Amino acid sequence: AQSVTQLDSQVPVFEEAPVELRCNYSSSVSVYLFWYVQYPNQGLQLLLKYLSGSTLVKGINGFEAEFNKSQTSFHLRKPSVHISDTAEYFCAVRSGGGGADGLTFGKGTHLIIQP
Amino acid sequence: EPEVTQTPSHQVTQMGQEVILRCVPISNHLYFYWYRQILGQKVEFLVSFYNNEISEKSEIFDDQFSVERPDGSNFTLKIRSTKLEDSAMYFCASSVGSVNTEAFFGQGTRLTVV
């Protein structure tokens, strides 16, 4: 079984400051990792994904994340946030066991950008 | 840009009634999913569907639930005999491939059981 932990339910940050949203996972097999963003009253949009290769992955809207296998983490970062980044951010994992496995999501982190 | 569309956006139903939530996945996608998000909780996987059959389902997806791809374009989730605790946002998703490809999500259907 796999699980995802997002320790911070809410992260307030001032505009133009850097931010890191934490994500840790557990899985007994190889994993594929994703960050999704949910703006108010909208569906889930993929920010970035780690499938293989370079552990630093870059996504849309200036976000990036680093896969750290030894720490089983996939933290999301942005060097300078904008008011429009206010949203709910979900980390998700899929196992590499084959088949059409569903995503396992974390509880989400609400990013609040303060002017 | 192609997108997953879900209808209706909101559905209110009486407890015990049956509801059908509808989704139109992206046209060249082969894998289809349903997820739900109870208010204030995490997004939970319900079921995946490939080649006209269920490929995986979670423990949430019991006999009360069923999925169907009736006409090659729609993908439906049927909930029989709804309960209050079925109230949630239901998301449909689709992907070209399986585990190592991105899943595209719809805007969701908010189901309220009264």
Side-chain angles (χ1 to χ4, degrees), chain A residues 18-95:
Chain A
V19 69
E20 179 178 83
L21 305 184
R22 295 180 294 170
C23 172
N24 289 88
Y25 69 91
S26 67
S27 176
S28 56
V29 297
S30 61
V31 294
Y32 303 105
L33 295 156
F34 305 82
W35 275 98
Y36 282 85
V37 60
Q38 184 179 31
Y39 298 104
N41 301 314
Q42 294 191 28
L44 297 165
Q45 181 183 3
L46 182 73
L47 272 179
L48 48 77
K49 61 190 176 192
Y50 171 78
L51 304 179
S52 65
S54 173
T55 56
L56 181 65
V57 291
K58 295 189 184 296
I60 62 171
N61 302 340
F63 283 93
E64 63 179 34
E66 186 154 21
F67 169 57
N68 187 321
K69 189 174 181 180
S70 63
Q71 296 188 2
T72 59
S73 68
F74 190 55
H75 301 331
L76 180 71
R77 295 190 290 259
K78 185 169 183 177
S80 175
V81 296
H82 189 266
I83 199 82
S84 59
D85 293 322
T86 297
E88 193 83 17
Y89 291 80
F90 294 94
C91 182
V93 64
R94 236 173 174 173
S95 72

Side-chain angles (χ1 to χ4, degrees), chain B residues 5 22-27 32 68-76:
Chain B
T5 56
R22 302 181 192 280
C23 169
V24 179
I26 295 173
S27 61
F32 314 112
E68 193 178 29
R69 189 156 160 79
D71 56 14
S73 62
N74 289 283
F75 179 52
T76 61

Side-chain angles (χ1 to χ4, degrees), chain B residues 68-86:
Chain B
E68 193 178 29
R69 189 156 160 79
D71 56 14
S73 62
N74 289 283
F75 179 52
T76 61
L77 174 68
K78 182 189 291 185
I79 310 175
R80 287 178 283 274
S81 188
T82 49
K83 305 186 287 268
L84 294 177
E85 53 266 37
D86 294 326

Side-chain angles (χ1 to χ4, degrees), chain B residues 25-111:
Chain B
I26 295 173
S27 61
N28 64 331
H29 286 188
L30 302 176
Y31 295 82
F32 314 112
Y33 311 85
W34 282 102
Y35 292 81
R36 80 172 183 190
Q37 184 182 28
I38 295 172
L39 188 64
Q41 298 187 27
K42 68 167 87 174
V43 177
E44 300 172 292
F45 168 72
L46 293 178
V47 65
S48 59
F49 192 86
Y50 169 71
N51 200 25
N52 284 318
E53 60 183 24
I54 290 173
S55 52
E56 188 197 10
K57 60 183 180 179
S58 71
E59 58 191 24
I60 302 168
F61 193 89
D62 59 20
D63 292 342
Q64 186 192 4
F65 296 89
S66 62
V67 290
E68 193 178 29
R69 189 156 160 79
D71 56 14
S73 62
N74 289 283
F75 179 52
T76 61
L77 174 68
K78 182 189 291 185
I79 310 175
R80 287 178 283 274
S81 188
T82 49
K83 305 186 287 268
L84 294 177
E85 53 266 37
D86 294 326
S87 295
M89 181 74 91
Y90 288 81
F91 291 106
C92 174
S94 69
S95 61
V96 172
S98 58
V99 295
N100 63 343
T101 59
E102 172 188 354
F104 290 80
F105 283 78
Q107 303 269 48
T109 293
R110 180 167 297 285
L111 175 67

